[in-house]
Amino acid sequence: MRQPTRTALDSLLHRLLDRWHDVLSLPRQSPPTWYRARLLEELRELRSATTTLSRLSETADVFFSISRARYDGFPVRRLPPFSLARHSAPMVYMVAKYTLRWGFYRTAARLCGAKEWKGVREVINPAKDLKLGEVSARHSIDPDKFRNTGRMLRRVWPLLP
């Protein structure tokens, strides 16, 4: 059986990532320099990662920054040519990590009775109460109720570092 070419794999990966970003439907960031700054921050964190799990997580964050910027129309860098051996784990981790966060916030908003819970499209790390407060403010959800719901949900929701 013939193996797919590298460009075919890359093309497939980009189509799959575009579909995933369609589902997440994250708001565009402004100004456009936000994307570059985010990538540089993630690259710094990747360089300082010391454990296998932290390197995997930070690599996933770098891939996310690159793919999101490209999807939003502000390509800051290309993803490396896809290699099953080197990139499968970070890509799977990335999709799981950010999809779980996205689902966490939508579920918390729904549990709080937010009428526009489907409009909650966030992927920042919900591990800190401060982040819960930021999200509740952006979506006009009662901050105390959202923070308490988020705290309860964190006990049972699978979140990846």
Side-chain angles (χ1 to χ4, degrees):
M1 181 174 181
R2 203 174 124 220
Q3 293 294 318
T5 64
R6 181 170 303 290
T7 55
L9 280 175
D10 291 339
S11 178
L12 175 62
L13 176 66
H14 285 292
R15 284 196 313 273
L16 290 172
L17 287 175
D18 284 349
R19 287 251 173 125
W20 178 60
H21 283 292
D22 284 342
V23 169
L24 295 180
S25 197
L26 300 174
R28 275 192 174 174
Q29 296 296 320
S30 185
T33 54
W34 178 90
Y35 295 93
R36 182 161 175 69
R38 180 83 176 123
L39 175 60
L40 292 174
E41 177 186 336
E42 296 301 346
L43 287 168
R44 276 192 298 278
E45 290 177 9
L46 176 58
R47 282 187 213 100
S48 66
T50 56
T51 67
T52 301
L53 181 58
S54 65
R55 282 192 300 275
L56 175 64
S57 179
E58 295 306 333
T59 300
D61 292 347
V62 168
F63 286 178
F64 181 77
S65 294
I66 293 169
S67 69
R68 180 176 181 189
R70 186 187 68 76
Y71 177 82
D72 285 352
F74 304 103
V76 291
R77 185 178 283 189
R78 286 184 164 168
L79 285 170
F82 186 71
S83 160
L84 284 171
R86 294 189 67 208
H87 302 124
S88 294
M91 286 292 180
V92 168
Y93 192 90
M94 173 188 75
V95 170
K97 176 179 184 174
Y98 287 97
T99 303
L100 285 167
R101 289 178 179 184
W102 177 84
F104 174 92
Y105 283 113
R106 288 170 68 96
T107 301
R110 191 165 189 194
L111 290 172
C112 285
K115 290 179 180 148
E116 301 296 324
W117 64 269
K118 288 184 179 179
V120 177
R121 298 179 310 269
E122 302 279 349
V123 294
I124 61 173
N125 190 345
K128 296 182 181 166
D129 286 352
L130 175 68
K131 300 297 182 184
L132 296 173
E134 291 172 9
V135 171
S136 68
R138 276 197 290 273
H139 297 281
S140 303
I141 301 171
D142 177 272
D144 293 327
K145 190 173 185 180
F146 194 74
R147 195 173 300 112
N148 290 335
T149 301
R151 285 176 182 157
M152 181 270 309
L153 200 53
R154 280 192 304 230
R155 288 188 223 139
V156 296
W157 197 270
L159 292 169
L160 300 173

